[in-house]
mmCIF file of all heavy atoms in Angstrom:
data_model
loop_
_atom_site.group_PDB
_atom_site.id
_atom_site.type_symbol
_atom_site.label_atom_id
_atom_site.label_comp_id
_atom_site.label_asym_id
_atom_site.label_seq_id
_atom_site.Cartn_x
_atom_site.Cartn_y
_atom_site.Cartn_z
ATOM 1 N N VAL A 3 1.022 5.569 0.365
ATOM 2 C CA VAL A 3 0.278 6.735 0.825
ATOM 3 C C VAL A 3 0.701 7.919 -0.013
ATOM 4 O O VAL A 3 1.889 8.205 -0.150
ATOM 5 C CB VAL A 3 0.582 7.016 2.312
ATOM 6 C CG1 VAL A 3 -0.212 8.232 2.789
ATOM 7 C CG2 VAL A 3 0.269 5.801 3.156
ATOM 8 N N GLY A 4 -0.243 8.604 -0.617
ATOM 9 C CA GLY A 4 0.061 9.738 -1.473
ATOM 10 C C GLY A 4 -0.043 11.045 -0.696
ATOM 11 O O GLY A 4 0.016 11.061 0.534
ATOM 12 N N GLU A 5 -0.232 12.139 -1.423
ATOM 13 C CA GLU A 5 -0.235 13.439 -0.754
ATOM 14 C C GLU A 5 -1.498 13.605 0.076
ATOM 15 O O GLU A 5 -2.518 12.965 -0.150
ATOM 16 C CB GLU A 5 -0.121 14.574 -1.786
ATOM 17 C CG GLU A 5 -1.388 14.834 -2.561
ATOM 18 C CD GLU A 5 -1.416 14.081 -3.887
ATOM 19 O OE1 GLU A 5 -1.068 12.881 -3.907
ATOM 20 O OE2 GLU A 5 -1.816 14.688 -4.873
ATOM 21 N N GLN A 6 -1.399 14.488 1.033
ATOM 22 C CA GLN A 6 -2.525 14.816 1.879
ATOM 23 C C GLN A 6 -3.035 16.177 1.431
ATOM 24 O O GLN A 6 -2.321 17.171 1.500
ATOM 25 C CB GLN A 6 -2.065 14.857 3.326
ATOM 26 C CG GLN A 6 -3.154 14.394 4.250
ATOM 27 C CD GLN A 6 -2.605 13.836 5.536
ATOM 28 O OE1 GLN A 6 -1.559 13.217 5.549
ATOM 29 N NE2 GLN A 6 -3.306 14.076 6.611
ATOM 30 N N ASP A 7 -4.257 16.223 0.890
ATOM 31 C CA ASP A 7 -4.763 17.433 0.287
ATOM 32 C C ASP A 7 -6.017 17.854 1.046
ATOM 33 O O ASP A 7 -6.989 17.110 1.117
ATOM 34 C CB ASP A 7 -5.094 17.097 -1.178
ATOM 35 C CG ASP A 7 -5.605 18.279 -1.938
ATOM 36 O OD1 ASP A 7 -5.427 19.388 -1.443
ATOM 37 O OD2 ASP A 7 -6.182 18.061 -3.008
ATOM 38 N N LEU A 8 -6.003 19.083 1.591
ATOM 39 C CA LEU A 8 -7.148 19.596 2.345
ATOM 40 C C LEU A 8 -7.617 18.580 3.389
ATOM 41 O O LEU A 8 -8.806 18.328 3.548
ATOM 42 C CB LEU A 8 -8.302 19.927 1.387
ATOM 43 C CG LEU A 8 -8.026 21.027 0.375
ATOM 44 C CD1 LEU A 8 -9.154 21.156 -0.614
ATOM 45 C CD2 LEU A 8 -7.783 22.365 1.082
ATOM 46 N N GLY A 9 -6.658 17.927 4.025
ATOM 47 C CA GLY A 9 -7.001 16.986 5.089
ATOM 48 C C GLY A 9 -7.393 15.621 4.585
ATOM 49 O O GLY A 9 -7.657 14.721 5.376
ATOM 50 N N GLU A 10 -7.437 15.430 3.254
ATOM 51 C CA GLU A 10 -7.824 14.122 2.721
ATOM 52 C C GLU A 10 -6.578 13.262 2.515
ATOM 53 O O GLU A 10 -5.577 13.745 1.974
ATOM 54 C CB GLU A 10 -8.539 14.297 1.383
ATOM 55 C CG GLU A 10 -9.030 12.984 0.826
ATOM 56 C CD GLU A 10 -9.459 13.088 -0.635
ATOM 57 O OE1 GLU A 10 -8.750 13.718 -1.437
ATOM 58 O OE2 GLU A 10 -10.504 12.519 -0.965
ATOM 59 N N VAL A 11 -6.616 11.993 2.938
ATOM 60 C CA VAL A 11 -5.477 11.100 2.746
ATOM 61 C C VAL A 11 -5.732 10.282 1.477
ATOM 62 O O VAL A 11 -6.788 9.652 1.338
ATOM 63 C CB VAL A 11 -5.304 10.149 3.955
ATOM 64 C CG1 VAL A 11 -4.124 9.206 3.726
ATOM 65 C CG2 VAL A 11 -5.113 10.937 5.231
ATOM 66 N N ARG A 12 -4.770 10.322 0.554
ATOM 67 C CA ARG A 12 -4.920 9.547 -0.689
ATOM 68 C C ARG A 12 -3.931 8.394 -0.671
ATOM 69 O O ARG A 12 -2.736 8.602 -0.418
ATOM 70 C CB ARG A 12 -4.637 10.420 -1.898
ATOM 71 C CG ARG A 12 -5.704 11.461 -2.069
ATOM 72 C CD ARG A 12 -5.571 12.100 -3.425
ATOM 73 N NE ARG A 12 -6.279 13.363 -3.435
ATOM 74 C CZ ARG A 12 -6.055 14.328 -4.304
ATOM 75 N NH1 ARG A 12 -5.131 14.172 -5.227
ATOM 76 N NH2 ARG A 12 -6.749 15.435 -4.264
ATOM 77 N N GLU A 13 -4.440 7.207 -0.960
ATOM 78 C CA GLU A 13 -3.601 6.016 -0.877
ATOM 79 C C GLU A 13 -3.874 5.132 -2.076
ATOM 80 O O GLU A 13 -4.837 5.344 -2.818
ATOM 81 C CB GLU A 13 -3.915 5.232 0.403
ATOM 82 C CG GLU A 13 -3.736 6.034 1.675
ATOM 83 C CD GLU A 13 -4.438 5.389 2.852
ATOM 84 O OE1 GLU A 13 -5.619 5.666 3.068
ATOM 85 O OE2 GLU A 13 -3.794 4.589 3.536
ATOM 86 N N SER A 14 -3.059 4.079 -2.162
ATOM 87 C CA SER A 14 -3.271 3.121 -3.244
ATOM 88 C C SER A 14 -2.942 1.717 -2.725
ATOM 89 O O SER A 14 -2.047 1.552 -1.889
ATOM 90 C CB SER A 14 -2.391 3.563 -4.401
ATOM 91 O OG SER A 14 -1.788 2.492 -5.007
ATOM 92 N N ALA A 15 -3.701 0.733 -3.161
ATOM 93 C CA ALA A 15 -3.475 -0.647 -2.715
ATOM 94 C C ALA A 15 -3.876 -1.577 -3.854
ATOM 95 O O ALA A 15 -4.605 -1.176 -4.764
ATOM 96 C CB ALA A 15 -4.325 -0.945 -1.483
ATOM 97 N N THR A 16 -3.413 -2.818 -3.797
ATOM 98 C CA THR A 16 -3.877 -3.767 -4.820
ATOM 99 C C THR A 16 -5.329 -4.157 -4.549
ATOM 100 O O THR A 16 -6.172 -4.171 -5.441
ATOM 101 C CB THR A 16 -2.966 -5.018 -4.840
ATOM 102 O OG1 THR A 16 -1.624 -4.579 -5.072
ATOM 103 C CG2 THR A 16 -3.379 -5.984 -5.943
ATOM 104 N N VAL A 17 -5.628 -4.473 -3.267
ATOM 105 C CA VAL A 17 -6.997 -4.890 -2.924
ATOM 106 C C VAL A 17 -7.471 -4.099 -1.706
ATOM 107 O O VAL A 17 -6.730 -3.943 -0.732
ATOM 108 C CB VAL A 17 -7.061 -6.398 -2.601
ATOM 109 C CG1 VAL A 17 -8.499 -6.828 -2.273
ATOM 110 C CG2 VAL A 17 -6.524 -7.242 -3.760
ATOM 111 N N VAL A 18 -8.705 -3.614 -1.758
ATOM 112 C CA VAL A 18 -9.358 -3.109 -0.549
ATOM 113 C C VAL A 18 -10.434 -4.116 -0.177
ATOM 114 O O VAL A 18 -11.279 -4.482 -0.999
ATOM 115 C CB VAL A 18 -9.969 -1.705 -0.768
ATOM 116 C CG1 VAL A 18 -10.719 -1.267 0.495
ATOM 117 C CG2 VAL A 18 -8.873 -0.704 -1.101
ATOM 118 N N VAL A 19 -10.365 -4.587 1.057
ATOM 119 C CA VAL A 19 -11.330 -5.557 1.578
ATOM 120 C C VAL A 19 -12.273 -4.791 2.491
ATOM 121 O O VAL A 19 -11.832 -4.129 3.430
ATOM 122 C CB VAL A 19 -10.597 -6.662 2.384
ATOM 123 C CG1 VAL A 19 -11.604 -7.609 3.035
ATOM 124 C CG2 VAL A 19 -9.619 -7.430 1.498
#
Side-chain angles (χ1 to χ4, degrees):
V3 181
E5 75 266 45
Q6 213 154 325
D7 181 16
L8 297 173
E10 183 193 44
V11 179
R12 292 193 199 160
E13 302 163 272
S14 139
T16 303
V17 181
V18 176
V19 175

